[in-house]
Structures are given as structure tokens and as C-alpha cells.
Amino acid sequence: MSPADDRRDPSGRQRGAARAQGRTQRSASAPSQRRRGSDPARTAAYDVLRAVDGSDAYANLVLPPLLRERRITGRDAAFATELAYGTLRLRGRYDAIIALAADREVGSIDAPALDVLRLGVHQLLGMRVPAHAAVSETVGLAREQLGTGPSQFVNAVLRTVGRSDESDWEQRIAQSAGDDEVARLAVLQSHPVWVVRALREALVGNGRSADEIGALLAADNVAPRVTLVARPGLATSDEIVGDAGDGVGTVGGLAPTAVVLSGGDPAALPSVRDGRAGVQDEGSQLVTLALTSAPLEGPDARWLDLCAGPGGKAALLAAVAGERGARIVANEVQPHRTRLVEQALRAVPADAVEDVRTGDGRTVGTDEPGAYDRVLVDAPCTGLGALRRRPEARWRRTPADLAGLSALQRDLLVSALQAVRVGGVVAYVTCSPHLVETQLVVKDAVRAAGRLGVGTEQVDAPALVRAIAPGRVDLDEARTDVQLWPHVHGTDAMHLTLLRRR
């Protein structure tokens, strides 16, 4: 990190501005010395929260280009990232605290002011920012963005929050939840009640203890480390570890293609810039590799990624296909996501990619029956298994989403089973562990395919995963599908079912 990038002091404030005016800026100013505005990092975090609330944007898609556009780098970028993502993850907990501190329901607070308050509470309770700096800087942000009146309200609420520590507030909001254990977990671990219930049911349905729910929810609130994939034939994990620098990258423990970074900007690595490597969760890599390692009867020349956007799994599949002399067809229903797939595949040899196209995956089975040897269905889902990476999804999804999504998932899987040839294999993958989106969808799709004359048998996915992973993988011995967990495997909660057409 260059000296120009090292501009944030221990209180979370920018260094250098006061010095440029011939004054010495201290790391801790008195509460009365409030800034009239805010620094770029806090403003960026606020703008991300407003985009998430106002336009249903995803923080991980909004923040990186915003930081680049505003030339926010180094510690400032790290501060803005933790402030935005941490606030989104713990929004439910912070809303409960704000309601008590303001003595009013958060629904009665204007949304922009509420976002400012959330940012302030995260600095007070979730980051190592001294209380006086957290309050004065956040009040400055409120004054800059909302005006004097709202800034006075923000000041009053944050000063109330700052009078108690995190453990005291946790006791108070837990008491406000009453005797309902699910409601208490929901407010303390910042998940909607319906999500807590669904995740607990998913644990039990996959042979784990319901008592793990607390650890699972807590894991959802921990920022994941960046994981890269070394695309076979294009890069090796050892090469990426070397490029990352001493002590920054380590080879993953589950997927042989994975490299876990402890810091740094992955986009700065040559292998990532040119597409020989990419950012991809280790669980996502593992389930993709499981499809490529499933034994086939007959030829193994033509593969299909039915729902290919944004392209991470497609690029891994294509890289493996290229090593084996196979070719991949990448299908995506959204044109803008098709362009992302093309970008992800830019380093893959042209002879390994038959086509990248835009189309409805639900019609491929009838349009091209029995045309493929391997098919991946990375189905659209609620994303409840990737809440570490997309924290806003927990507040955006509702139980009503399940009906439409599960119907789409079933239709896509039926289409894939029609598109694969007899003896070929289909991988059904979701980044949600919800039983409705995983086990129940598979049962419904197998029945529906059977009515169309398409027979199936389930492949032992855990055996393939264990053969791929260098160490022991904690999986339910009684099941033939695979469910990964953040608190157990350190990955997103990826689900994998492998089906062979008979």
C-alpha cells in the first residue's frame, strides 16, 4: 500500500485534509467539533445503502465501480466496504436498537435518515471507531445529505446508542423479542424470522442438528474471504498463490482449483485480469467439478450450462472441457448476463466453446432432446445460502418468492433431463439450502420427467466430492446429494444433486 492510500486514522477519519490547510488533524476530535460534511468513504457507503433500498441494486455490484469512479482506494476503500456490507448484514439488529434508542418504530423514520442511523450504529457497535468520531462523522453525513433538522435527530439517537455497549444492547433487544427462541435469534443474528425457520428446517432435513442454527446465522454475518478459481489448463493454484505475494494466498481446502486470499485486490492479479482465473466461491467450484468428474456411459464431447450467467461456473466447465477435447454451450436468458458469460470465457480456447447464446432454458429440452453429455442447472434461487456475500438478499426475499422460483427450478431441471442423452449426467445446483428449492424441487422434477418418459437415477454426489477434496469433508453419510454450509465448510450453502438419465 502506498502512502497516498494510507489515509484513514484509527477513528475512521481521513488523514491529510487538515494538514493541507496548515493545521494538524488529530485522530480524535471533541464531540462539539462536528464536521459540516462527511468524507468520501462514508458518503460512498451511504450511497450504496440508498441504491440497495431505492433501486433493488446489489451492493457487490454497486460498490466496486463506485469506489473506482471516485478513486477511493486503500484503507478508505476497506473502510467503505466494511461500513456498507457490515451495515447491510446487521440491519435487523441495528433497526431493533434504533427503535429502542429513538423510542419509535423504524418504519416511521424516513428511509434516508434510517440508512444514516444504521451506518452510525455500525460504527459505534460493529467497528473499532471511537464513539465521538462515529457520532460526529455520521452527523456530518446527515447534515450534508439530509439537512440540519434530520442531522439533529441523528445526533440525538446516536448519542443514546453510544451510552451503552454492544452486549447491553443485545440483552435489551433480546428481551424485546420475548420468549420465542426463533424471534430472539432473528433479532440478535439479523435475519428475518421466516429465514431462521427455513434454515433450521434445512439443517434437520440434511441430517444436521437444529442446534447448529445459531452458528449458521452467525457465519452469515461474517465477511467471507475472497476466493479465486484457477481455471484448469489456463492457470494453476500454485501460480496464483505466487502472484498474490507472500502470505496473501493459500490453496483452498476443498477444491483443488481454489485459492483463498487474505487481502489485496484480486483484480490486480494478472491471471484475473486476463480471465485465466476469477473470483468464485470454493463451494461453487466444488459442485462444478463434481459434475465434470461424474462417470459417464458413452461419449463425453458436448456439455451445456443451462443458466450460465454471470459465467463463473461456465468458465470452469469450459476450461475442463478444453482439457478433455469437449465443447460447451452456455445458455443464458438475460442478454446482459450473456455478455458477462462471454467476458468470463475470454481466456478459454475457442475450440472449447461451441456457443454462448441467449435463450429460455425451459425450452432447450424440447428443442434439443438428448443432445448433451453433461448438463449444469445452476438454477435461479432465493440466494439464502450466499447471505455472507449478498447480505441484502435476506431483506429482499419473502416466502412468497418460493412458489414462483420453485416452479421455475422444476421446469429448468425437467428441461435439462430431456436435453441430456441416456447415460449422461445432470447437475442441479442452487446457492440456497431451502428444502423447497432443493430436495422437493428434485423430487417434483424427477416425477415430472418420468411422466414424459425420461427415467433417472441419482448419482452418489458425496462420493465424488470426497474424491475431489484433498481432506475430509463433513457430509451426511445417509444422503446421495450434497449440502455445504458456511459454518461447517466455510463456503456458501451450495446444494448439489447429480442425476443420470436412464
Side-chain angles (χ1 to χ4, degrees):
M1 183 181 300
S2 68
D5 290 336
D6 187 5
R7 298 194 304 268
R8 191 160 292 277
D9 66 23
S11 70
R13 294 183 62 178
Q14 268 197 315
R15 288 186 172 121
R19 291 191 184 97
Q21 299 174 14
R23 291 179 282 115
T24 300
Q25 178 165 316
R26 296 176 297 172
S27 63
S29 59
S32 61
Q33 296 175 314
R34 300 190 191 99
R35 293 169 61 96
R36 297 205 59 81
S38 185
D39 65 271
R42 287 180 171 88
T43 301
Y46 170 77
D47 288 342
V48 169
L49 263 61
R50 296 309 307 135
V52 167
D53 180 68
S55 59
D56 283 345
Y58 284 103
N60 67 327
L61 300 181
V62 173
L63 182 58
L66 186 151
L67 294 176
R68 288 193 296 269
E69 176 188 333
R70 300 182 186 181
R71 299 181 180 180
I72 301 173
T73 59
R75 290 188 179 181
D76 291 346
F79 185 88
T81 300
E82 166 53 27
L83 184 54
Y85 289 178
T87 300
L88 287 168
R89 287 187 186 96
L90 298 175
R91 195 186 91 174
R93 182 190 301 176
Y94 294 156
D95 281 1
I97 291 171
I98 290 167
L100 291 176
D103 195 24
R104 57 193 285 193
E105 295 297 322
V106 293
S108 68
I109 301 173
D110 287 342
L114 183 56
D115 276 342
V116 172
L117 282 169
R118 290 164 174 160
L119 292 169
V121 175
H122 186 53
Q123 291 172 70
L124 285 168
L125 304 181
M127 299 175 71
R128 290 180 292 182
V129 178
H132 57 265
V135 173
S136 63
E137 294 291 326
T138 307
V139 170
L141 175 66
R143 184 180 295 110
E144 177 183 80
Q145 299 291 333
L146 310 176
T148 301
S151 73
Q152 293 172 342
F153 170 67
V154 167
N155 180 57
V157 174
L158 292 184
R159 288 190 180 284
T160 300
V161 173
R163 293 189 189 108
S164 301
D165 62 18
E166 183 179 17
S167 62
D168 183 50
W169 280 114
E170 287 182 356
Q171 290 178 9
R172 292 171 67 179
I173 61 175
Q175 290 172 357
S176 69
D179 296 330
D180 187 333
E181 178 64 15
V182 170
R184 188 184 67 83
L185 279 171
V187 69
L188 286 175
Q189 297 294 350
S190 193
H191 287 65
V193 168
W194 78 271
V195 172
V196 177
R197 291 198 178 103
L199 293 178
R200 188 173 63 177
E201 291 170 1
L203 285 166
V204 174
N206 283 279
R208 307 200 70 90
S209 170
D211 293 339
E212 294 181 31
I213 184 61
L216 172 56
L217 298 177
D220 279 347
N221 291 328
V222 176
R225 289 188 295 174
V226 174
T227 305
L228 303 181
V229 56
R231 290 163 180 157
L234 305 176
T236 67
S237 54
D238 289 339
E239 175 189 350
I240 296 175
V241 169
D243 288 346
D246 292 342
V248 176
T250 56
V251 175
L254 291 177
T257 50
V259 173
V260 182
L261 301 183
S262 60
D265 179 7
L269 298 180
S271 56
V272 174
R273 286 200 305 268
D274 61 26
R276 293 179 296 115
V279 176
Q280 186 175 8
D281 177 71
E282 191 168 7
S284 174
Q285 297 178 46
L286 189 62
V287 298
T288 305
L289 292 173
L291 170 61
T292 69
S293 67
L296 291 188
E297 301 167 1
D300 190 14
R302 198 163 185 248
W303 301 359
L304 170 67
D305 187 344
L306 192 65
C307 312
K313 294 183 181 69
L316 180 52
L317 280 177
V320 176
E323 288 191 311
R324 297 189 191 172
R327 305 182 75 194
I328 184 174
V329 173
N331 179 82
E332 169 55 43
V333 70
Q334 298 290 343
H336 73 281
R337 288 169 65 87
T338 302
R339 292 190 289 272
L340 294 176
V341 176
E342 292 172 341
Q343 178 69 8
L345 292 171
R346 66 191 182 278
V348 177
D351 58 2
V353 181
E354 177 180 324
D355 193 15
V356 179
R357 67 195 188 194
T358 302
D360 189 338
R362 293 172 293 185
T363 68
V364 173
T366 53
D367 294 341
E368 301 178 86
Y372 297 95
D373 304 307
R374 299 180 192 269
V375 180
L376 172 66
V377 185
D378 183 17
C381 67
T382 57
L384 297 185
L387 297 182
R388 305 178 304 158
R389 301 181 191 279
R390 290 192 167 178
E392 64 278 356
R394 71 187 77 182
W395 314 117
R396 190 168 290 169
R397 291 297 189 183
T398 71
D401 294 327
L402 288 167
L405 283 169
S406 61
L408 174 61
Q409 292 156 357
R410 181 195 62 234
D411 291 347
L412 288 167
L413 182 50
V414 170
S415 177
L417 291 170
Q418 292 175 297
V420 77
R421 64 168 177 80
V422 174
V425 175
V426 172
Y428 176 73
V429 171
T430 69
C431 59
S432 169
H434 200 300
L435 296 179
V436 169
E437 300 185 88
T438 55
Q439 297 176 25
L440 296 181
V441 160
V442 171
K443 289 179 182 178
D444 287 348
V446 166
R447 283 196 295 262
R451 291 193 293 269
L452 297 172
V454 177
T456 61
E457 67 177 7
Q458 198 152 337
V459 178
D460 188 351
L464 293 172
V465 165
R466 291 190 183 97
I468 294 168
R472 183 182 181 278
V473 186
D474 184 355
L475 299 172
D476 183 1
E477 301 286 345
R479 299 198 59 81
T480 54
D481 56 7
V482 167
Q483 182 61 59
L484 302 175
W485 301 99
H487 68 297
V488 177
H489 306 101
T491 68
D492 291 345
M494 304 295 301
H495 173 85
L496 168 68
T497 296
L498 291 171
L499 297 167
R500 177 177 287 109
R501 181 170 175 177
R502 285 300 186 191

